Amino acid sequence: MVTSERTEEEPLSTPSPEYSRLDSNMVALHRATLSLFSDLSLDGVLRRVIQAAQELADARYAALGIPDGDGGLETFLTTGITEAEIEAIERHPQGDGLLGEMLRTGTSIRLERIQDHPRSVGFPAGHPQMRSFLGVPIAAYGRPIGQIYLTDKESAPEFSAQDQRLIEMLASQAAAAIENAQLYQKVLESENELGGRNEELGLMFSLATAVG
């Protein structure tokens, strides 16, 4: 039986840069996912999602929209843009253009130039000019929960297919975290409502006892 052993002179195989980046991205995704479930407030979870997406895809700007069920957006959070820039925007996103297209189709959109998409409607007055775009839906059991929007890839002219896969994996975890936060919020609201009713009943009982 012949066996082969690595001699001391033989160098260990070195992972390619592509695999090293993939491994690093998966570690970052794992950490981001854990952070999503460390916060039970809905606003906190949403902000963690857009911050994680911005960092994972190396985007200059990131936003997260929550649909209102009527073709528009109920909530729209951003990062990478200053408060002064937000105030200078003439009209804030309402679910038109690319955002509306994602609401309608429920599919991801990746573009080198936003303006190249036939549904692009341009930017309102005061809005920072943006070039590359990556939009990924957040859904649970086929039901839309939200959307992640990333623009202006910092280290490249456009977002890559790997960026898209990474953010889609983040979105699947974000769906569970958002639903968990929404459920927790409903529980708190129910407890507050129950507490209020108990106080009313206690007051009524006290009054009835006093009158009796």
Side-chain angles (χ1 to χ4, degrees):
M1 179 177 180
V2 179
T3 61
S4 61
E5 296 182 358
R6 185 183 63 83
T7 65
E8 292 183 2
E9 291 76 15
E10 293 176 339
L12 292 170
S13 60
T14 304
S16 68
E18 181 179 352
Y19 278 102
S20 296
R21 287 194 299 272
L22 178 61
D23 184 61
S24 176
N25 287 337
M26 294 308 295
V27 170
L29 175 63
H30 176 66
R31 290 175 177 171
T33 298
L34 291 178
S35 76
L36 298 184
F37 292 92
S38 66
D39 197 330
L40 288 175
S41 70
L42 181 58
D43 183 71
V45 170
L46 297 181
R47 294 194 180 280
R48 286 176 185 268
V49 171
I50 58 173
Q51 289 170 359
Q54 181 186 30
E55 293 173 4
L56 287 170
D58 191 26
R60 181 178 182 184
Y61 302 107
L64 190 148
I66 301 296
D68 60 9
D70 295 318
L73 296 174
E74 174 185 299
T75 302
F76 191 80
L77 302 176
T78 64
T79 186
I81 185 170
T82 66
E83 290 296 328
E85 288 174 321
I86 292 175
E87 292 177 1
I89 297 174
E90 185 177 90
R91 182 178 63 86
H92 294 282
Q94 301 296 317
D96 302 324
L98 288 179
L99 309 192
E101 180 72 2
M102 287 181 61
L103 286 171
R104 185 181 68 83
T105 64
T107 57
S108 299
I109 297 177
R110 180 164 54 91
L111 302 165
E112 182 176 359
R113 293 180 70 255
I114 295 174
Q115 297 81 356
D116 290 342
H117 196 281
R119 289 296 302 274
S120 176
V121 295
F123 300 106
H127 196 289
Q129 291 300 306
M130 300 175 179
R131 182 178 173 86
S132 55
F133 177 84
L134 174 59
V136 172
I138 303 173
Y141 308 106
R143 179 174 59 86
I145 294 178
Q147 297 177 321
I148 297 171
Y149 314 113
L150 302 170
T151 59
D152 288 10
K153 173 83 172 180
E154 295 272 36
S155 54
E158 62 180 315
F159 295 98
S160 66
Q162 183 176 323
D163 289 328
Q164 181 175 330
R165 288 192 294 270
L166 198 63
I167 300 307
E168 286 174 344
M169 286 188 282
L170 174 67
S172 67
Q173 298 299 320
I178 291 172
E179 284 203 317
N180 187 50
Q182 289 175 332
L183 178 59
Y184 181 70
Q185 185 172 313
K186 288 180 180 179
V187 169
L188 289 181
E189 291 173 353
S190 297
E191 288 181 348
N192 290 336
E193 183 179 352
L194 181 60
R197 289 180 179 178
N198 286 339
E199 288 181 4
E200 291 177 2
L201 289 174
L203 179 59
M204 292 176 62
F205 179 77
S206 298
L207 290 173
T209 302
V211 172

